Amino acid sequence: MAVSPPACPHRLLPLSLGLFQGVLLLFFALFVTYDEPAVQAEDASVVANQLYSIFPLFQDIQVMLVVGLGLLLTFLPRYGLSVLTHNFLLLNFSTQWALVLQGLLHRFHHGQVHLDLHNLLAAEFAAVTVLISVGAVLGRTSPCQLLVVATCEVPVYLASEWAIVTRLGVLDVGGTITIHVFSCYFGLGVSRALFGAVRWPVHPKETPTPRSDLMSLVGTLILWVFWPSFVAVLCQPGDAQHRAILNTLLAMSASALTTVVASSLLERDGKLSPGDLQNALTLGSLSAMVCVLGFRFLTPFLARKLLLQDQCGIHNLHGLPGILGAAASAVAILAASEDTSRSQVSHTRGNASEAAWRQWGDSGAGGQALCQVAGLAVAVGGSLVTGLLTGAALRLPCLAQPPERLCLDDSLYFKMMDQAGSQGPGSTAEEEVLALKEQV
Amino acid sequence: MAVSPPACPHRLLPLSLGLFQGVLLLFFALFVTYDEPAVQAEDASVVANQLYSIFPLFQDIQVMLVVGLGLLLTFLPRYGLSVLTHNFLLLNFSTQWALVLQGLLHRFHHGQVHLDLHNLLAAEFAAVTVLISVGAVLGRTSPCQLLVVATCEVPVYLASEWAIVTRLGVLDVGGTITIHVFSCYFGLGVSRALFGAVRWPVHPKETPTPRSDLMSLVGTLILWVFWPSFVAVLCQPGDAQHRAILNTLLAMSASALTTVVASSLLERDGKLSPGDLQNALTLGSLSAMVCVLGFRFLTPFLARKLLLQDQCGIHNLHGLPGILGAAASAVAILAASEDTSRSQVSHTRGNASEAAWRQWGDSGAGGQALCQVAGLAVAVGGSLVTGLLTGAALRLPCLAQPPERLCLDDSLYFKMMDQAGSQGPGSTAEEEVLALKEQV
Amino acid sequence: MAVSPPACPHRLLPLSLGLFQGVLLLFFALFVTYDEPAVQAEDASVVANQLYSIFPLFQDIQVMLVVGLGLLLTFLPRYGLSVLTHNFLLLNFSTQWALVLQGLLHRFHHGQVHLDLHNLLAAEFAAVTVLISVGAVLGRTSPCQLLVVATCEVPVYLASEWAIVTRLGVLDVGGTITIHVFSCYFGLGVSRALFGAVRWPVHPKETPTPRSDLMSLVGTLILWVFWPSFVAVLCQPGDAQHRAILNTLLAMSASALTTVVASSLLERDGKLSPGDLQNALTLGSLSAMVCVLGFRFLTPFLARKLLLQDQCGIHNLHGLPGILGAAASAVAILAASEDTSRSQVSHTRGNASEAAWRQWGDSGAGGQALCQVAGLAVAVGGSLVTGLLTGAALRLPCLAQPPERLCLDDSLYFKMMDQAGSQGPGSTAEEEVLALKEQV
């Protein structure tokens, strides 16, 4: 007996996805070309060297997003197949969608879009914002709803990044503002508009088991290991990249110890909470403290007062540390202007901000610091508004939001051959539907 | 109480393996040397650069074969330790065996075999064919039988690759014909000759649990992530490699969406089947469609009509998409000859086919397209015949094929300390033997 | 109801860790600087090339230590979260601690410590010795005790490495003596002094389940795959690194087959033991034999006669093969002096030993071989003595050693939300404490 949420148009997901893929193939066939081939031998060697410098980093990021983030999300014990698949589907859909939009927006030379690994990487970063945002509504949304979020968020992200980095000239190499802050508040906006001010009780299938916690911890550790690649890939090759790697390694190592300290101090009996570890290890030392404190005090407060649903705690994980990082960047710019000469600073900056620095460099460090703050405000405001609108769109009945009772269960989206191995809390969605019918 | 399949010579596996390893050590001691050391400083830098360009790709492929493929095969819930170990054993045995054969066949200069990472990589690709082929008979064969398959398949593969690529001059950079098509029909031949036309009922231990499906999905995602390395490592460095990576990334991303579309459309209620995802994500968009359709319609047909056992569905995963790819390569060559000049095409081809192209280039694109088809026919015919012979050899009683009743259970090959954690369907092989004895 | 080992000062761990992190931040702020930035364009390209040559290897080693080793240790079915977390905590603490000590000891030029990836890597190797040593006392020690081990072992390791490599001029590229032998006997010393001559019965939570064996095997395979990076990273770039990679790959492949041979021959019914595989696959062919024999005959002997606790069998895994490797290095030096000219040998040696070779080269190969043996003696003797002292220090009551009854259970260190998923042997530590209280 199959479970089908009421009024669910079974064919909407495959048909819209198939249409999207078809249009995309047409777009690629008509407009996309490779970069020009290198004609001479020395050029070929240069191309090969550039490839070897970026491809391992690119693969590291693929491992992070597909395997690491996927496993991290399997803390829901009966929803593992679904989160792995939805995460994978969203990553691929959003990357392709961002590739098309980028091509249309930025790279129309001579009627052709040129494609290389850097374009793919930029598109993958757009997809990262979607993966972060949907963390707020994980487990209670249908694949159709998730694809609508991706469809709306990718263009908004591209516009917001253009406004913040290109127009305002904000220095944001690690994506603190444009990725982490933006995606957090977009996700919270979606959650608010979608679920409104309803107070959910704890779902019986929401409680992690030791085994799902273990898988989730393995995912966290994979993310932790490859984090330096994520930061380095956006820097200029050479010294800037070397420093970014060293800084990230040290910050992460410090955050690991700080997380243990903070988590252990907050518990009455000094025990650790697996949730703290899973969520905090990836950000720096001070961020770790902010993050743990946020999980302990802010999340319950938000849930109680604002009735805001944030399944994966993206506010503590991306929002607060992102705001902290943006504030720190403003302070660092003011401090750097006092004790550092112009030429030294320029070594550590990325390519995209080079022009911006020249523009703002004359009006002084104060102007640049103001810019950082303005960029933060644009990211928070823009993402909240568009997130709320997207969340409102998700309430369309044709998007088949699953009823709360059937949420968080793989059997809603997968043919489960055998239920014997999953003797977790509660019964399966299928069984519940059968039981409901028998009562009637 | 230990379980031993009747007439099983316990010492055959270790003794024959030990003998093989001893002979191999002797061979290496007598005949193998390293490449000449670089004498000058510039040479050393070139050697280092070559190493850095191939070693990360080599490591990626090792991760794919050892961890990714191993986990993918753990969908049998009570046979996980065995598949991981047998996969690992076969990979190592086949690589060493291919290294010896390659050395003997191709590289005897001055009485010495020269060894470098490229040789190792070529040997590893020979091992890949074995790992694919045994997918057809997974779980119902003993380690001795698997090693016999490897012993027979590696030399046949080397001969077939020599005939197809070197003699016929087929362009086959990704190994579509020489690896995927060849290994598929070799495996199906083995299966047919070994199991004959017996109709198996579904074994109670064959049904995946949600947890084994999850592990298998993680393995699939690992394979998916590193697939571009697998394709790129065989290309010329520079532009060809860059394009191969981009093409593979796009094809895989499209296949991911297409798989969801196809799998979802075929289900009455729009749910996904974990099996489709595990098996289809790794091949391109059209291949994904062929693959899903094959699993839904062709596998049951083959199982019903031909009584052909194909445990991992290698026919849909490697055979059909391989034939599709070979046909596409013939069409692409015809198309390329019309709108592309000679010099441009040569940028995208691998080293091994360079001579072949010169040979066939004069007789025109039509000749080359015919060659592609001839290569496909050689691969299918040769592999089927030799596979059938190998399968017949596997029926030797000294190879200790496990009886169907005891199949698919780790306790057949591992001392299980504790059975408490594996409360899957059915009891353990040991318990069954005990129960059988008590009845007597 | 929370479980607290008697007299456990809950705040000791977070407070001492927090203090350490604070002092470290101060140290970094005051004394540490980056390497000089490259001023010219050619230099920048050289810097970038050096980064790309070491960073992928560095990432591989991070994956090994964080994910591979962590998963390997999860063979204790109810202690997975704890071993993953303790391993991760120790790695970060020890690396930072080694970084500080290295900075203080070796790199004080002009009042500033210069930091680059090579320093981080050297610090990580110091951390590896800690991770190996604590294998002897895994599961029966508190985090506070583990941190004390790390605090003591890192400076002793640095001193021992200085004595063996710099003073004695021992050639030890793979860290056979300075890492594996040293850490093994340090760990055994700690175990002896901490647990004394008490004979432990098998703890009910010590028995692996098939599922924990599977996770552990996956960890082993990850370690196996990345082992060549671990060896190569310490070699000179170019030929030496290429050969180190080839040698390691071949040795590991041979060890894989040899392990199956040895494990299978030792079993009455030819079955494999998962423990043998998990522990032996990572070392060479002869080492594999030594290692399996050690597990079968030496571990029970040591446990019975010396009453020595060695939870992870580090003696068979690191001690015996390390001594074997050190002996082999002495023999190889004597052999090499006969048939190899001076200039050829120098290609395969690392940087650190270059000076040493010149020093000892004149006194001949015999002198160098003697040195290797002397280095081995220093490593064994020094590590045993300091290990015993450290183990004695661990008996301080404020370090909160958990009572045997409550060992090997995640609920001692983690808030477990739900016990339903972990129906392993025995009940949880919390339940036992409750049961004890009810009896009173």
Side-chain angles (χ1 to χ4, degrees):
Chain A
M1 176 77 212
V3 178
S4 50
C8 167
H10 293 144
R11 300 292 178 248
L12 183 66
L13 174 66
L15 290 179
S16 53
L17 256 185
L19 189 70
F20 169 79
Q21 191 68 67
V23 170
L24 196 90
L25 285 176
L26 203 70
F27 173 82
F28 270 72
L30 292 178
F31 299 116
V32 175
T33 184
Y34 294 109
D35 274 341
E36 291 297 312
V39 187
Q40 288 171 307
E42 307 97 73
D43 289 355
S45 156
V46 169
V47 167
N49 266 331
Q50 284 174 347
L51 186 62
Y52 303 136
S53 72
I54 195 174
F55 185 58
L57 299 176
F58 183 82
Q59 290 287 79
D60 288 354
I61 291 168
Q62 291 266 74
V63 174
M64 286 174 77
L65 298 179
V66 174
V67 183
L69 183 56
L71 281 178
L72 170 58
L73 296 176
T74 59
F75 65 89
L76 295 167
R78 317 234 350 213
Y79 204 59
L81 287 170
S82 302
V83 290
L84 270 176
T85 313
H86 293 167
N87 180 64
F88 181 68
L89 182 64
L90 276 179
L91 173 65
N92 282 291
F93 176 84
S94 308
T95 305
Q96 292 186 29
W97 180 221
L99 216 52
V100 170
L101 289 177
Q102 278 179 345
L104 289 174
L105 289 171
H106 295 300
R107 293 176 190 267
F108 247 109
H109 315 285
H110 319 299
Q112 290 281 324
V113 181
H114 288 271
L115 189 69
D116 60 13
L117 263 182
H118 289 88
N119 301 13
L120 264 182
L121 201 60
E124 197 141 301
F125 275 84
V128 168
T129 63
V130 177
L131 300 183
I132 293 174
S133 293
V134 299
V137 294
L138 187 86
R140 288 188 168 85
T141 36
S142 71
C144 284
Q145 289 178 307
L146 296 177
L147 288 175
V148 170
V149 172
T151 311
C152 298
E153 185 166 1
V154 169
V156 177
Y157 162 74
L158 293 175
S160 138
E161 201 221 0
W162 174 83
I164 293 171
V165 175
T166 310
R167 294 297 300 172
L168 281 174
V170 170
L171 302 174
D172 189 42
V173 170
T176 309
I177 296 171
T178 50
I179 294 180
H180 293 287
V181 171
F182 170 82
S183 60
C184 166
Y185 290 99
F186 190 92
L188 293 180
V190 168
S191 172
R192 178 68 186 192
L194 176 59
F195 296 127
V198 180
R199 185 187 294 256
W200 301 106
V202 174
H203 196 289
K205 287 165 192 158
E206 222 165 344
T207 319
T209 61
R211 206 163 282 133
S212 72
D213 263 341
L214 188 67
M215 292 292 270
S216 184
L217 186 54
V218 171
T220 310
L221 294 175
I222 291 174
L223 284 177
W224 191 89
V225 162
F226 290 114
W227 205 260
S229 303
F230 190 86
V231 176
V233 83
L234 293 174
C235 298
Q236 291 278 69
D239 282 326
Q241 213 165 38
H242 193 183
R243 289 184 180 195
I245 288 171
L246 288 174
N247 282 342
T248 310
L249 284 168
L250 291 176
M252 289 190 331
S253 193
S255 85
L257 299 194
T258 311
T259 303
V260 172
V261 171
S263 178
S264 188
L265 276 179
L266 287 174
E267 284 297 320
R268 190 171 45 83
D269 51 0
K271 288 187 187 182
L272 297 170
S273 151
D276 287 349
L277 283 168
Q278 286 156 17
N279 285 297
L281 289 176
T282 41
L283 296 161
S285 181
L286 196 52
S287 297
M289 191 68 85
V290 170
C291 193
V292 173
L293 290 172
F295 267 99
R296 200 56 53 95
F297 301 114
L298 197 63
T299 302
F301 175 83
L302 287 177
R304 209 171 49 239
K305 294 291 175 192
L306 296 178
L307 296 170
L308 190 58
Q309 171 77 17
D310 183 4
Q311 183 72 43
C312 298
I314 60 170
H315 192 226
N316 306 306
L317 193 54
H318 300 276
L320 291 184
I323 290 176
L324 189 77
S329 75
V331 174
I333 284 167
L334 290 176
S337 73
E338 291 171 18
D339 58 19
T340 321
S341 82
R342 171 80 194 288
S343 64
Q344 274 175 291
V345 172
S346 68
H347 276 294
T348 57
R349 278 178 298 117
N351 211 6
S353 319
E354 193 76 28
W357 182 271
R358 284 201 202 95
Q359 184 189 341
W360 288 101
D362 303 329
S363 63
Q368 180 64 34
L370 262 178
C371 270
Q372 302 290 109
V373 176
L376 180 63
V378 169
V380 172
S383 62
L384 261 180
V385 170
T386 52
L388 285 166
L389 291 173
T390 305
L394 292 193
R395 308 188 91 160
L396 286 173
C398 71
L399 296 178
Q401 182 179 347
E404 170 73 5
R405 197 181 72 258
L406 303 180
C407 279
L408 303 166
D409 197 318
D410 276 337
S411 67
L412 194 59
Y413 301 116
F414 281 91
K415 275 197 303 188
M416 303 309 277
M417 304 253 187
D418 169 33
Q419 306 293 349
S422 64
Q423 296 151 336
S427 55
T428 70
E430 295 211 28
E431 287 161 21
E432 275 181 46
V433 169
L434 285 174
L436 281 170
K437 297 212 170 159
E438 278 163 20
Q439 285 169 14
V440 182
Chain B
M1 176 73 214
V3 178
S4 50
C8 167
H10 292 143
R11 301 289 178 250
L12 183 64
L13 173 67
L15 290 180
S16 54
L17 256 188
L19 189 70
F20 169 80
Q21 191 67 69
V23 169
L24 196 90
L25 284 177
L26 203 71
F27 171 83
F28 269 72
L30 292 179
F31 298 116
V32 175
T33 184
Y34 294 109
D35 274 341
E36 292 298 310
V39 187
Q40 289 170 308
E42 307 96 76
D43 290 355
S45 155
V46 169
V47 167
N49 266 330
Q50 284 175 348
L51 186 61
Y52 304 136
S53 72
I54 194 174
F55 185 59
L57 300 176
F58 183 83
Q59 290 288 80
D60 287 354
I61 292 168
Q62 291 266 74
V63 174
M64 285 174 78
L65 298 179
V66 173
V67 183
L69 184 56
L71 280 177
L72 170 58
L73 296 176
T74 59
F75 64 88
L76 296 167
R78 315 228 359 204
Y79 204 59
L81 286 170
S82 302
V83 290
L84 270 177
T85 313
H86 293 167
N87 180 63
F88 181 68
L89 181 64
L90 276 179
L91 173 66
N92 282 292
F93 176 84
S94 308
T95 305
Q96 292 187 28
W97 179 222
L99 216 52
V100 170
L101 290 177
Q102 279 178 344
L104 289 174
L105 290 170
H106 295 301
R107 293 178 191 267
F108 247 109
H109 314 285
H110 318 300
Q112 290 280 327
V113 181
H114 287 270
L115 188 69
D116 61 13
L117 263 183
H118 289 88
N119 300 12
L120 264 181
L121 200 61
E124 197 141 300
F125 274 84
V128 168
T129 63
V130 178
L131 299 183
I132 293 174
S133 293
V134 300
V137 296
L138 186 86
R140 288 189 167 84
T141 36
S142 70
C144 284
Q145 290 179 308
L146 296 177
L147 288 175
V148 171
V149 171
T151 312
C152 298
E153 184 167 2
V154 169
V156 177
Y157 162 75
L158 292 175
S160 138
E161 200 222 1
W162 174 82
I164 293 171
V165 175
T166 310
R167 293 298 301 174
L168 282 173
V170 171
L171 303 174
D172 188 42
V173 169
T176 310
I177 296 172
T178 50
I179 293 180
H180 293 286
V181 171
F182 170 84
S183 60
C184 166
Y185 289 100
F186 190 94
L188 292 180
V190 168
S191 173
R192 178 67 185 193
L194 176 59
F195 295 126
V198 180
R199 185 189 295 256
W200 301 106
V202 173
H203 196 288
K205 288 165 191 159
E206 222 165 342
T207 319
T209 61
R211 207 163 280 133
S212 71
D213 262 340
L214 188 67
M215 292 292 271
S216 184
L217 185 55
V218 172
T220 310
L221 294 176
I222 291 174
L223 284 177
W224 190 90
V225 163
F226 290 113
W227 204 262
S229 303
F230 190 86
V231 175
V233 83
L234 293 174
C235 297
Q236 291 278 69
D239 281 327
Q241 215 165 37
H242 194 184
R243 288 184 181 195
I245 288 171
L246 287 174
N247 282 341
T248 310
L249 284 168
L250 291 176
M252 289 191 330
S253 193
S255 86
L257 298 193
T258 312
T259 303
V260 171
V261 172
S263 179
S264 188
L265 276 178
L266 287 173
E267 284 298 319
R268 191 172 43 84
D269 52 358
K271 290 188 189 182
L272 297 170
S273 151
D276 287 349
L277 283 169
Q278 285 155 18
N279 285 297
L281 289 176
T282 42
L283 295 160
S285 181
L286 196 51
S287 297
M289 192 67 86
V290 170
C291 195
V292 173
L293 290 171
F295 268 98
R296 199 56 53 96
F297 301 114
L298 196 63
T299 301
F301 175 82
L302 287 177
R304 209 169 52 238
K305 293 291 175 192
L306 296 179
L307 296 170
L308 190 57
Q309 170 78 18
D310 182 5
Q311 183 72 43
C312 298
I314 61 171
H315 192 226
N316 304 306
L317 192 54
H318 300 276
L320 292 183
I323 290 175
L324 188 77
S329 75
V331 173
I333 284 167
L334 290 176
S337 74
E338 293 170 17
D339 57 18
T340 322
S341 81
R342 172 77 194 287
S343 64
Q344 274 174 290
V345 172
S346 66
H347 276 292
T348 58
R349 279 178 299 117
N351 211 5
S353 319
E354 192 76 28
W357 181 270
R358 285 201 203 93
Q359 185 188 340
W360 289 100
D362 302 328
S363 65
Q368 181 65 33
L370 263 178
C371 268
Q372 303 290 110
V373 176
L376 181 63
V378 169
V380 173
S383 63
L384 262 179
V385 170
T386 51
L388 285 166
L389 291 173
T390 305
L394 292 193
R395 309 188 90 160
L396 285 174
C398 72
L399 295 178
Q401 183 180 347
E404 170 71 4
R405 196 180 74 258
L406 303 181
C407 279
L408 302 167
D409 198 317
D410 275 337
S411 67
L412 195 58
Y413 300 115
F414 281 90
K415 274 197 301 187
M416 304 308 277
M417 304 255 188
D418 170 34
Q419 305 293 348
S422 64
Q423 297 150 338
S427 55
T428 70
E430 294 211 30
E431 287 161 21
E432 278 182 41
V433 169
L434 284 174
L436 281 169
K437 296 212 170 158
E438 277 163 19
Q439 287 168 13
V440 183
Chain C
M1 175 74 211
V3 178
S4 51
C8 167
H10 292 143
R11 301 292 178 247
L12 183 65
L13 173 67
L15 291 180
S16 54
L17 256 186
L19 189 70
F20 168 80
Q21 192 67 66
V23 169
L24 197 90
L25 285 177
L26 203 71
F27 172 83
F28 269 72
L30 292 178
F31 299 116
V32 174
T33 184
Y34 294 107
D35 274 343
E36 292 296 314
V39 188
Q40 288 170 308
E42 307 97 75
D43 290 354
S45 155
V46 169
V47 167
N49 266 330
Q50 284 174 347
L51 185 62
Y52 303 135
S53 71
I54 195 174
F55 185 59
L57 300 176
F58 183 82
Q59 289 288 80
D60 288 354
I61 292 169
Q62 292 266 74
V63 174
M64 286 174 77
L65 297 179
V66 174
V67 183
L69 183 57
L71 281 178
L72 171 58
L73 296 176
T74 59
F75 65 89
L76 295 167
R78 319 236 347 215
Y79 204 59
L81 286 171
S82 302
V83 291
L84 270 177
T85 313
H86 293 168
N87 180 64
F88 181 68
L89 181 64
L90 276 178
L91 173 65
N92 282 291
F93 177 83
S94 308
T95 304
Q96 292 187 29
W97 180 220
L99 217 51
V100 170
L101 289 177
Q102 278 178 346
L104 289 174
L105 289 171
H106 296 300
R107 293 176 190 267
F108 248 109
H109 315 285
H110 319 300
Q112 289 280 327
V113 181
H114 287 271
L115 188 69
D116 61 13
L117 262 183
H118 289 88
N119 301 12
L120 264 182
L121 201 60
E124 197 141 300
F125 274 84
V128 168
T129 63
V130 177
L131 299 183
I132 293 174
S133 293
V134 299
V137 294
L138 186 86
R140 289 188 167 85
T141 36
S142 72
C144 284
Q145 289 179 307
L146 296 176
L147 288 175
V148 170
V149 171
T151 311
C152 299
E153 183 165 2
V154 169
V156 177
Y157 162 75
L158 292 176
S160 139
E161 201 221 1
W162 174 82
I164 293 172
V165 174
T166 311
R167 293 298 300 173
L168 281 174
V170 171
L171 303 174
D172 188 43
V173 169
T176 312
I177 296 172
T178 49
I179 293 179
H180 293 287
V181 171
F182 171 83
S183 60
C184 166
Y185 290 100
F186 191 94
L188 293 179
V190 168
S191 172
R192 177 68 184 192
L194 175 59
F195 296 125
V198 180
R199 185 186 296 255
W200 301 105
V202 173
H203 197 288
K205 287 165 193 161
E206 222 165 344
T207 318
T209 61
R211 208 163 280 134
S212 72
D213 263 341
L214 189 65
M215 292 292 271
S216 185
L217 185 55
V218 172
T220 311
L221 294 176
I222 291 175
L223 284 177
W224 190 90
V225 162
F226 290 115
W227 204 261
S229 303
F230 190 86
V231 175
V233 84
L234 293 175
C235 298
Q236 292 278 69
D239 282 326
Q241 214 165 37
H242 194 184
R243 289 186 180 194
I245 288 171
L246 287 174
N247 282 343
T248 310
L249 284 168
L250 291 176
M252 289 190 330
S253 192
S255 86
L257 298 194
T258 312
T259 304
V260 172
V261 172
S263 178
S264 188
L265 275 179
L266 287 173
E267 283 297 319
R268 192 172 44 84
D269 52 0
K271 289 187 188 181
L272 297 170
S273 152
D276 287 350
L277 283 169
Q278 286 156 16
N279 286 297
L281 289 176
T282 41
L283 295 160
S285 183
L286 196 51
S287 297
M289 192 68 86
V290 169
C291 194
V292 174
L293 291 172
F295 267 98
R296 200 56 53 95
F297 300 116
L298 197 63
T299 301
F301 175 82
L302 287 178
R304 208 169 53 239
K305 293 291 176 192
L306 296 180
L307 297 170
L308 190 58
Q309 171 77 17
D310 183 4
Q311 183 72 41
C312 299
I314 60 170
H315 192 225
N316 304 307
L317 193 54
H318 300 276
L320 291 183
I323 290 176
L324 189 77
S329 75
V331 173
I333 284 167
L334 290 175
S337 74
E338 292 172 17
D339 57 18
T340 321
S341 82
R342 172 78 194 287
S343 65
Q344 274 174 290
V345 171
S346 68
H347 276 292
T348 58
R349 277 178 300 118
N351 212 3
S353 319
E354 192 76 27
W357 180 270
R358 284 201 203 95
Q359 184 188 343
W360 288 100
D362 303 327
S363 64
Q368 181 64 33
L370 262 178
C371 270
Q372 303 290 108
V373 176
L376 181 63
V378 168
V380 173
S383 62
L384 262 180
V385 170
T386 49
L388 284 167
L389 291 174
T390 305
L394 292 193
R395 310 188 89 160
L396 287 173
C398 70
L399 295 177
Q401 182 178 347
E404 170 72 5
R405 198 180 72 257
L406 303 181
C407 279
L408 303 166
D409 198 317
D410 275 337
S411 66
L412 194 57
Y413 300 117
F414 281 90
K415 274 197 303 187
M416 303 309 277
M417 304 256 188
D418 168 32
Q419 305 294 348
S422 64
Q423 296 150 337
S427 55
T428 69
E430 294 210 29
E431 288 161 20
E432 276 182 43
V433 169
L434 285 174
L436 281 171
K437 296 212 171 159
E438 278 163 19
Q439 285 168 15
V440 182

